[in-house]
Amino acid sequence: MRIILYLTLFVLMGATFFSCSKGEANQDPEFGRLSIKDLTAGAVRVVEGENNKFPTSTDGNTFSNILSGKNRFRFYQADDLLLDTSLSVQPYVKNTFVMFKSGNNTDLKIFGSDFKGLDHETLPDPGIVKFSLANFSSTLPNKVNIYINTATYTPNTDKPIQVAQFLNVSTSFSDFQNIKLGITSDNGLVSQFTFIITDPINQTVLASLPVALPKDLDNHLINTVFLFYVDSGGAVTILMSK
């Protein structure tokens, strides 16, 4: 009798455990929102899912209610398929990606917020920003030196100062550097810079490019960590920031 009772309990416990396992497998699906910023020279259309129909979107390449996990996306320029890939979607958040094509004859690349460790890069202290640079210019040498200048107020004048230097900048993004912002006459922060680009061999100045960090309506910096690149036309562009 005692043996029969033990066997009965064992079967019931096994059935309960099996039922719980099945219940856990039947969780409701999770969804996220996905936005793709277009930094290409021409308009790139994006197809999501397995069908060939281009989505109707009121916000550019933004997709709502995307199932979490890996999702298939295809990128077209006119009728030419540029890239067929999977993008990972985290649930309940806006997943941001950037599509980037440095020139007409180069491949399309997709960067997520984890590129160059941007998502894990710590925010700098007040009065400091962080830059990482790359050079994709079609008119500059493959490697250049980039010196970053700004101005800061001293009694009765704005004094030009150099706040950073990046040596041998190529198509690989550099490590992040902390860059101190200048001070205005009313103790505000200077958000304007000049990128002086020189030949790394003879130090000839090849370009002098103005850069202004984006601010909100209250004149505060929107972001403080930036991935900058010199584009094929020779302008400085923000790839990603936070």
Side-chain angles (χ1 to χ4, degrees):
M1 185 69 178
R2 188 173 297 174
I3 294 175
I4 295 174
L5 180 60
Y6 286 158
L7 286 173
T8 302
L9 288 173
F10 178 78
V11 171
L12 288 174
M13 289 175 65
T16 302
F17 178 79
F18 182 74
S19 175
C20 289
S21 297
K22 288 180 65 177
E24 290 174 358
N26 292 327
Q27 292 178 351
D28 293 335
E30 298 175 315
F31 298 90
R33 188 165 179 257
L34 185 141
S35 178
I36 304 175
K37 183 179 180 180
D38 188 357
L39 288 179
T40 65
V44 174
R45 294 182 294 176
V46 184
V47 173
E48 179 265 325
E50 299 301 322
N51 60 64
N52 289 313
K53 294 181 181 179
F54 292 105
T56 301
S57 173
T58 58
D59 186 24
N61 293 314
T62 298
F63 305 86
S64 300
N65 298 321
I66 300 296
L67 190 66
S68 63
K70 289 196 176 291
N71 286 257
R72 183 185 182 189
F73 286 85
R74 280 160 290 168
F75 300 80
Y76 288 85
Q77 198 156 32
D79 295 325
D80 296 329
L81 177 64
L82 301 179
L83 183 65
D84 188 335
T85 189
S86 294
L87 301 178
S88 293
V89 176
Q90 300 298 320
Y92 312 122
V93 298
K94 180 180 179 181
N95 299 260
T96 302
F97 294 86
V98 171
M99 48 185 170
F100 175 75
K101 203 169 182 289
S102 60
N104 292 330
N105 299 319
T106 59
D107 294 334
L108 180 73
K109 297 180 180 179
I110 307 299
F111 297 125
S113 58
D114 58 346
F115 178 69
K116 195 59 187 178
L118 179 67
D119 54 346
H120 296 301
E121 191 69 30
T122 58
L123 298 178
D125 294 333
I128 303 289
V129 292
K130 287 185 176 181
F131 287 175
S132 171
L133 307 183
N135 171 36
F136 293 97
S137 173
S138 59
T139 59
L140 295 172
N142 293 331
K143 291 185 177 181
V144 294
N145 291 345
I146 301 180
Y147 302 94
I148 299 179
N149 295 345
T150 188
T152 194
Y153 183 76
T154 58
N156 303 319
T157 186
D158 288 325
K159 179 183 177 182
I161 56 172
Q162 181 179 307
V163 288
Q165 64 178 23
F166 293 80
L167 304 181
N168 294 315
V169 179
S170 66
T171 55
S172 296
F173 278 84
S174 69
D175 292 334
F176 285 98
Q177 280 195 40
N178 286 335
I179 297 173
K180 186 174 177 60
L181 298 169
I183 303 298
T184 63
S185 59
D186 57 357
N187 291 320
L189 296 176
V190 177
S191 60
Q192 288 80 31
F193 298 91
T194 302
F195 283 27
I196 307 296
I197 301 177
T198 70
D199 188 298
I201 298 175
N202 57 30
Q203 293 301 306
T204 302
V205 175
L206 304 173
S208 179
L209 306 175
V211 176
L213 303 183
K215 291 185 174 183
D216 60 21
L217 295 178
D218 295 322
N219 208 33
H220 297 140
L221 291 179
I222 296 174
N223 293 306
T224 55
V225 184
F226 298 88
L227 290 165
F228 280 110
Y229 69 96
V230 183
D231 65 23
S232 59
V236 177
T237 303
I238 297 174
L239 176 72
M240 303 177 74
S241 61
K242 74 169 187 177

